Amino acid sequence: MEPIVQTKNLAVGYNDEILLKDIQLKLHRGEITALIGPNGSGKSTILKTITGNLKEIAGVTYIDKDSIKELSGRELAKKAAVVWTERVKAELMTGWDVVAAGRYPYTGNFGMLSERDKEAVERAMTLSGVADLAESDFNALSDGQKQRLLLARAICQETPVLILDEPTSYLDIRYKAELLHLLKKLAAENQVTVLLSLHEVELVKKVADYVVGVKESGIFCQGKPHEILQETVIRALYDLDEEQYRFWFQRTW
């Protein structure tokens, strides 16, 4: 099966200084891939490069066989939707306005929403459980509510690829469960390809079809969850000694 997202010999970093190199990823339709690894290892840098927010230092990223270098911003936004962890400020915008911004790749020069666009907004808000926030001032909402609206905005783009950077940040247990269940549903029913970074390994077990461990200068490991989420691999990835590992992953009450 041909991957919908593929990186070849990708090197990423800032100001032409390589942080990670030789990144070889293949993401398939309807699968969820999780990036894990220590803070500062470069997970977000990989995501920003794959989405065109950072320029590749070397190599290439393909989405649906098109190099992102050859795509305009609007064309890329029709292929991949993104949710970042950075706090977003949206002056004088309601929850509905924020979600509706996900339709910009499809609107004309004046940004007018068609009836189909409006239906997509309503559908995304309902699916994400934020319909009750439609009239709320976005800046007055909690971080968790904002995060859920931003997810709805990404879903509203109706792209084949969904990329999320630490999407469970700011969410309590209930909304983490709802988010992961929604991602599994989108992947299974709509064949959406999901790439996300996560800190919580326990959540990776629940949601991921494939796991990529990032450390130091590149990809440390990758494979199916049962292959990667082993004591020896996790201890090496996070530099945990035996006592630390057992305290965190095997504590009994």
Side-chain angles (χ1 to χ4, degrees):
M1 181 170 56
E2 286 288 323
I4 188 170
V5 178
Q6 184 172 8
T7 66
K8 293 185 177 180
N9 303 314
L10 187 65
V12 305
Y14 299 88
N15 301 318
D16 292 326
E17 184 175 340
I18 294 176
L19 175 63
L20 301 165
K21 60 184 179 180
D22 195 29
I23 300 168
Q24 316 281 358
L25 297 177
K26 292 183 179 181
L27 311 181
H28 295 93
R29 293 182 187 275
E31 291 189 355
I32 298 176
T33 298
L35 299 182
I36 63 173
N39 285 341
S41 59
K43 299 184 297 297
S44 295
T45 306
I46 292 174
L47 298 182
K48 289 178 179 178
T49 306
I50 288 175
T51 56
N53 286 265
L54 281 177
K55 185 179 179 181
E56 308 103 325
I57 296 178
V60 63
T61 297
Y62 296 97
I63 298 183
D64 205 13
K65 297 183 180 180
D66 293 318
S67 166
I68 65 169
K69 296 177 182 179
E70 308 300 325
L71 298 173
S72 68
R74 188 178 290 267
E75 289 170 335
L76 185 55
K78 290 180 180 179
K79 293 180 178 291
V82 187
V83 180
W84 301 115
T85 52
E86 288 90 345
R87 287 179 170 85
V88 175
K89 284 199 171 183
E91 298 298 333
L92 303 177
M93 294 181 73
T94 64
W96 197 94
D97 294 331
V98 169
V99 177
R103 297 305 297 171
Y104 89 88
Y106 308 99
T107 59
N109 292 334
F110 296 102
M112 299 296 292
L113 297 180
S114 67
E115 286 304 313
R116 185 188 182 288
D117 292 324
K118 293 175 183 177
E119 290 172 2
V121 175
E122 300 291 345
R123 186 165 55 250
M125 295 191 76
T126 299
L127 191 61
S128 304
V130 292
D132 59 326
L133 302 177
E135 301 302 321
S136 301
D137 177 357
F138 182 79
N139 286 331
L141 297 173
S142 69
D143 287 334
Q145 290 171 319
K146 290 178 180 177
Q147 189 79 346
R148 290 158 57 210
L149 281 167
L150 293 174
L151 174 62
R153 182 181 69 179
I155 292 172
C156 191
Q157 279 180 239
E158 296 183 324
T159 58
V161 179
L162 181 58
I163 296 176
L164 309 100
D165 187 22
E166 295 295 341
T168 56
S169 298
Y170 315 125
L171 299 182
D172 62 22
I173 293 174
R174 172 192 168 186
Y175 290 122
K176 285 180 182 180
E178 285 189 2
L179 168 69
L180 298 183
H181 182 263
L182 176 56
L183 293 179
K184 293 288 281 187
K185 183 177 181 180
L186 288 171
E189 297 181 5
N190 296 3
Q191 287 297 287
V192 173
T193 300
V194 179
L195 173 63
L196 74 166
S197 61
L198 286 171
H199 276 305
E200 297 159 278
V201 174
E202 290 302 311
L203 298 184
V204 176
K205 292 180 181 179
K206 298 180 184 301
V207 74
D209 299 298
Y210 197 77
V211 183
V212 178
V214 182
K215 185 179 181 181
E216 296 168 350
S217 62
I219 302 300
F220 179 76
C221 56
Q222 57 180 307
K224 296 291 185 180
H226 72 271
E227 298 169 332
I228 303 302
L229 303 180
Q230 299 283 342
E231 178 177 352
T232 54
V233 180
I234 294 299
R235 283 180 56 186
L237 178 62
Y238 289 97
D239 293 321
L240 299 174
D241 61 30
E242 183 177 356
E243 185 176 354
Q244 291 169 327
Y245 178 88
R246 298 200 183 286
F247 172 79
W248 192 253
F249 292 103
Q250 298 183 2
R251 185 173 181 179
T252 56
W253 298 94

